[in-house]
Amino acid sequence: MIDIKSTYSEYIAETYSRNDLVIMKAKGSEAFDENGKRYIDLGAGIAVNILGYCDDEFADAVAKQARTVSHTSNLYYTEPQAHLAKLICEKSGMKKVFFSNSGAEANECAIKAARKYSWDKYGEEAGRNKIICLNHSFHGRTIATISATGQSEYHKYFAPFLPGYVFVEPNDIEAMVAEAKKGDVCAIIAEIIQGEGGVNLLNTNYIKSLQTISEENDLVLIIDEVQTGNGRTGKYFAYQNFDIKPDIVTTAKGLGGGLPIGATLFNDRLANTLTPGTHGSTFGGNPIVCAGAVSIVESIDDKLLDEVKAKSEYIFTNLRQCGGVKSVTGMGLMIGIETDKNAKEIVKLLADRGVLVLTAKTKLRLVPALNIPVGLLKEAIGIMKEVLQ
């Protein structure tokens, strides 16, 4: 057997600050290292393993499809892609979907569609191509999506960035209106909960105002649900908690259950904006990935969503009353915890005690599997409370 850590150091680009942990096997919400030590995982692969590790139905669907049709280009039709498209459109109320391989790609597609909608309707000479973004946002690591990301630390090293993006403070309705009325804007992009920005939930009035401002100025409203989608907040998509209807919704992470997928969903107005030759993806909608995603989406029913809400209430109640905790933010099972001490140090202390959590800015971040057993959740939160206090 190879020395895993030294092999990483020798052969893999050092783009991650990895925890000193080799995960050798995992099941459900439990992971085990090379020494057999057990960990309760409250990070779920950064909100990806929404049914935990190695869900049986997911694994069976993937294995079966791998032996049926593993890949074919998008020049042909496949059953898993059709099935997934129908499911996700029905759950979201959207009309059509484009499949890609990641959240960044899903957002790239949304940006292209918004600009093409404006070009088709108003013409190139109108100059309606800017996109309003929020400070503290995160939309991906490609050049286009970094350009749309409102965090200066992601803007180091890679300049020049793409033009066509303007930034306003979240929850500032007046600033959003002022930009929207300038006449050179085609879209607004926003996360309901700014995940990488610190797990900050936009306020309700502001979320509703985004739709109003978009409608009044004929802007495309893009809601980035890469992390918040697929049941994470107690609804299939986070925007459904606020009774708004975006023009475009993007998602990824939990949709694939561990396999790479992105999805860009369009409402009636944008459904036919992208036409043959205007966008594409070699691997987007891969049959194996789609078969796995079908099993994931079919599992997100009302019972599971009710469990998400109940577990969320348990976590919020316990941690808000915990010593050493300044605030608890977020929604559903996407939770940020501001503490008295350094978040990265607490991550290490928790790992030593057998609990895996993430960070977001200066906060701890919890995004466990939606189906984490209540007993495991209570055990993990109990350990967290001991460490935080």
Side-chain angles (χ1 to χ4, degrees):
M1 180 177 175
I2 64 171
D3 184 314
I4 295 172
K5 293 177 186 176
S6 66
T7 303
Y8 263 66
S9 179
E10 184 173 358
Y11 293 108
I12 294 180
E14 308 257 350
T15 59
Y16 301 100
S17 297
R18 300 180 194 274
N19 296 313
D20 189 26
L21 170 64
V22 177
I23 295 179
M24 296 298 292
K25 64 177 182 177
K27 181 69 175 175
S29 289
E30 296 175 292
F32 300 85
D33 68 15
E34 68 270 39
N35 299 312
K37 180 179 176 180
R38 183 196 70 145
Y39 300 85
I40 302 172
D41 188 353
L42 300 184
I46 315 182
V48 168
N49 300 329
I50 61 172
L51 299 181
Y53 292 97
C54 306
D55 175 75
D56 289 336
E57 291 185 11
F58 171 80
D60 289 345
V62 168
K64 181 180 178 181
Q65 187 60 44
R67 293 181 172 88
T68 307
V69 177
S70 59
H71 177 77
T72 185
S73 79
N74 281 305
L75 297 175
Y76 308 106
Y77 301 94
T78 63
E79 190 277 335
Q81 188 175 152
H83 193 175
L84 180 60
K86 183 175 187 291
L87 280 175
I88 196 172
C89 285
E90 288 176 347
K91 282 184 178 286
S92 64
M94 305 297 274
K95 293 301 178 184
K96 290 191 178 181
V97 60
F98 177 88
F99 291 119
S100 53
N101 308 287
S102 67
E105 288 182 48
N107 285 331
E108 290 252 3
C109 178
I111 290 165
K112 288 179 68 174
R115 286 179 171 160
K116 186 173 185 297
Y117 171 82
S118 183
W119 177 303
D120 290 345
K121 186 167 183 178
Y122 295 98
E124 180 183 7
E125 63 280 359
R128 288 173 54 104
N129 52 38
K130 289 184 178 177
I131 296 175
I132 305 174
C133 313
L134 301 186
N135 289 330
H136 317 297
S137 61
F138 181 83
H139 298 296
R141 294 180 183 271
T142 63
I143 289 295
T145 54
I146 287 179
S147 299
T149 289
Q151 298 188 58
S152 59
E153 58 261 44
Y154 293 105
H155 293 173
K156 295 178 182 177
Y157 313 122
F158 309 114
F161 293 97
L162 298 180
Y165 303 94
V166 294
F167 294 88
V168 298
E169 278 296 309
N171 298 318
D172 187 337
I173 295 175
E174 290 184 3
M176 180 65 75
V177 170
E179 289 293 343
K181 290 186 176 300
K182 288 184 178 179
D184 59 354
V185 172
C186 67
I188 297 168
I189 185 169
E191 304 155 279
I192 298 295
I193 305 172
Q194 294 185 315
E196 303 299 326
V199 198
N200 298 312
L201 174 65
L202 300 180
N203 72 47
T204 300
N205 287 340
Y206 186 75
I207 292 168
K208 290 180 177 294
S209 78
L210 295 178
Q211 177 152 11
T212 302
I213 294 166
S214 297
E215 290 174 349
E216 289 177 349
N217 296 278
D218 194 22
L219 308 182
V220 175
L221 178 57
I222 305 167
I223 298 297
D224 178 341
E225 298 254 11
V226 169
Q227 191 166 163
T228 54
N230 309 293
R232 176 65 50 193
T233 66
K235 295 282 190 180
Y236 188 77
F237 281 124
Y239 74 82
Q240 293 171 324
N241 291 286
F242 301 94
D243 194 31
I244 65 169
K245 295 180 179 179
D247 298 296
I248 300 178
V249 178
T250 62
T251 194
K253 289 190 179 288
L255 178 61
L259 295 179
I261 190 171
T264 308
L265 293 126
F266 306 98
N267 70 356
D268 287 303
R269 189 161 68 124
L270 275 291
N272 298 309
T273 297
L274 293 179
T275 52
T278 58
H279 199 52
S281 171
T282 296
F283 296 104
N286 170 272
I288 295 174
V289 178
C290 285
V294 165
S295 77
I296 296 287
V297 176
E298 287 182 333
S299 298
I300 304 173
D301 56 16
D302 289 341
K303 181 176 180 293
L304 181 60
L305 294 176
D306 286 342
E307 287 181 20
V308 169
K309 294 171 188 173
K311 291 167 186 174
S312 175
E313 184 177 356
Y314 175 82
I315 295 172
F316 271 89
T317 299
N318 274 269
L319 294 184
R320 278 178 172 159
Q321 297 171 353
C322 178
V325 172
K326 292 182 178 179
S327 67
V328 185
T329 59
M331 188 179 198
L333 290 178
M334 184 172 173
I335 299 169
I337 305 151
E338 184 182 13
T339 72
D340 289 335
K341 298 197 169 55
N342 182 280
K344 291 183 179 179
E345 292 178 6
I346 295 174
V347 167
K348 186 179 185 308
L349 291 171
L350 286 170
D352 291 342
R353 294 283 302 273
V355 176
L356 303 180
V357 302
L358 308 171
T359 59
K361 307 294 278 188
T362 59
K363 296 179 182 179
L364 301 176
R365 174 171 37 162
L366 308 184
V367 280
L370 308 187
N371 63 347
I372 182 173
V374 172
L376 277 184
L377 180 62
K378 289 184 175 181
E379 181 183 348
I381 296 302
I383 293 169
M384 284 194 68
K385 289 171 71 175
E386 291 175 7
V387 169
L388 291 169
Q389 292 175 130

